[in-house]
Amino acid sequence: MANVVVIGAQWGDEGKGKIVDWLSLEADVVVRFQGGHNAGHTLVVGDNVFKLALLPSGIVRPGKLSVIGNGVVLDPYHLVDEIGGLEAQGVAISPANLKIAENVVLILSLHRELDAYREEAITSGLKIGTTKRGIGPAYEDKAGRRAIRLMDLADPGALDDKIARLLAHHEPLRRGLGLEPVSAAALRDELLTVAPKILPFMDATWDLLETYRREGKRILFEGAQGALLDIDHGTYPFVTSSNTVAAGAATGAGVGPKAIGYVLGIAKAYTTRVGGGPFPTELHDGVGRLLGDRGREYGVNTGRRRRCGWFDAILVRQAVKTSGIDGIALTKLDILDGFEEIKVCVGYRLDGKHIDRMPGGQTAQARLKPIYESIEGWKATTAGARSWADLPAQAIKYVRRIEELIEAPVALLSTSPEREDTILVHNPFQDR
């Protein structure tokens, strides 16, 4: 049986929550391997709607172990609030079903303040579109080898030295920006107050996952943002601060690359993006607004309206290659019901030249013009379809054309937010 990595194949918000929840029924362990609480998942389980940000999607399923890996940056206070919210909905959470990597980096109040200041201070078109939750600054401290990690809370005697090292960087930075200084005592109190609530979940999760792997348990690795927001392979600088491509599952969970057997990419049948950055197929007309309204394109945690446009096969194909995607879960096909004509981006024009990839340069990305192929739409509904026989012929043609363009098969097809409204073509847990 293959261990499966699930990642977004666009800019995020592709419907990973439903797909991960659907796959988690066959998984024994669900691992979150990167990101912070800036990307949310909405899970619809029966009559219950669960909104998650930090916790892996498997947490709402009894009998599953959920793991927050070392590649995540964790806001401890948000985690406590999220656990409390789920418990109020009847979800049981304890160290028996939730483990957090001992070496996970913590997001602190000073990270949130710095993140918000930077984004609000930018007045040009270079706003990244950060959620101001401290994710980027926390990753900066991790790379700078001055971060506070979860394991540090278990050793209060050594905490003062670690806080001093952190503030040696942040104090002059804050002075230069005109921000109020941070008291070492206040930061220590911030950490030790929350420590008893989260330390019971701490574990050497890399070792735990290796044990499960050797026992033949099925492990599902769950990404947060999409591959096009990867710090190395995304539309830099309009990206997140971690590796969102499939390879990040190995480093972010502490497993070897051979532990990954199947990579499932999630892509909408159209394209959306939150925040700044290039978006060649973005629609500023009534069609774009219609896609947003039909698809309820608002951020789970932020409420921000998403930018909408036609499906960009060039970008998804690029994600297929950089992540080694074996199959695609195509979501929200039903949102395209009723369109007379559907367009798919099959190339770009850059300064009059035809190209078939997203260039790496920011200014070049901004000058891209999409080259479209028009596909006849369908009148019948795809909403709630659970087999190929339930789909209109033109909808099937649309899916097949996407497969050709992105050079990857569609393994799953989602036709509504309901878990049962899914057409299974290939089972990722069994196809390797």
Side-chain angles (χ1 to χ4, degrees), residues 205-274:
T205 54
W206 65 270
D207 192 35
L208 189 65
L209 290 173
E210 174 63 9
T211 298
Y212 275 101
R213 187 189 71 80
R214 288 178 178 273
E215 292 175 353
K217 303 291 187 182
R218 293 174 173 176
I219 305 173
L220 181 62
F221 299 91
E222 171 188 8
Q225 296 86 5
L228 298 177
L229 292 176
D230 186 272
I231 188 68
D232 291 303
H233 302 287
T235 48
Y236 190 92
F238 302 98
V239 294
T240 192
S241 300
S242 59
N243 286 115
T244 60
V245 294
T251 55
V255 300
K258 291 184 179 179
I260 299 168
Y262 190 100
V263 179
L264 180 69
I266 317 297
K268 281 177 182 167
Y270 50 102
T271 309
T272 65
R273 178 165 200 174
V274 171

Side-chain angles (χ1 to χ4, degrees), residues 57-221:
S57 298
I59 199 70
V60 303
R61 295 289 180 185
K64 313 291 180 184
L65 176 65
S66 290
V67 174
I68 297 177
N70 57 274
V72 173
V73 285
L74 185 145
D75 184 323
Y77 284 90
H78 179 92
L79 176 66
V80 170
D81 289 342
E82 190 171 329
I83 289 174
L86 287 180
E87 287 179 335
Q89 289 184 270
V91 178
I93 301 176
S94 74
N97 67 342
L98 175 63
K99 300 292 185 182
I100 305 173
E102 61 185 1
N103 51 339
V104 74
V105 166
L106 301 180
I107 298 174
L108 310 174
S109 57
L110 58 80
H111 294 133
R112 294 192 297 272
E113 292 168 10
L114 180 59
D115 201 4
Y117 176 87
R118 286 173 171 169
E119 186 72 6
E120 292 167 0
I122 296 174
T123 57
S124 69
L126 293 177
K127 283 185 178 289
I128 302 300
T130 173
T131 55
K132 308 175 188 177
R133 298 191 175 192
I135 284 86
Y139 275 116
E140 289 177 38
D141 283 341
K142 177 180 181 178
R145 295 164 292 187
R146 55 182 171 263
I148 305 295
R149 302 190 292 178
L150 179 57
M151 62 174 65
D152 296 329
L153 305 190
D155 187 8
L159 192 57
D160 286 340
D161 288 342
K162 295 182 182 297
I163 290 174
R165 179 179 177 82
L166 179 68
L167 293 183
H169 169 81
H170 280 273
E171 284 178 347
L173 175 62
R174 293 175 71 89
R175 282 198 304 270
L177 296 175
L179 297 174
E180 292 293 323
V182 174
S183 161
L187 185 53
R188 179 184 175 87
D189 183 63
E190 176 185 332
L191 291 167
L192 294 184
T193 298
V194 76
K197 300 177 183 178
I198 61 174
L199 282 176
F201 299 103
M202 185 176 74
D203 208 326
T205 54
W206 65 270
D207 192 35
L208 189 65
L209 290 173
E210 174 63 9
T211 298
Y212 275 101
R213 187 189 71 80
R214 288 178 178 273
E215 292 175 353
K217 303 291 187 182
R218 293 174 173 176
I219 305 173
L220 181 62
F221 299 91

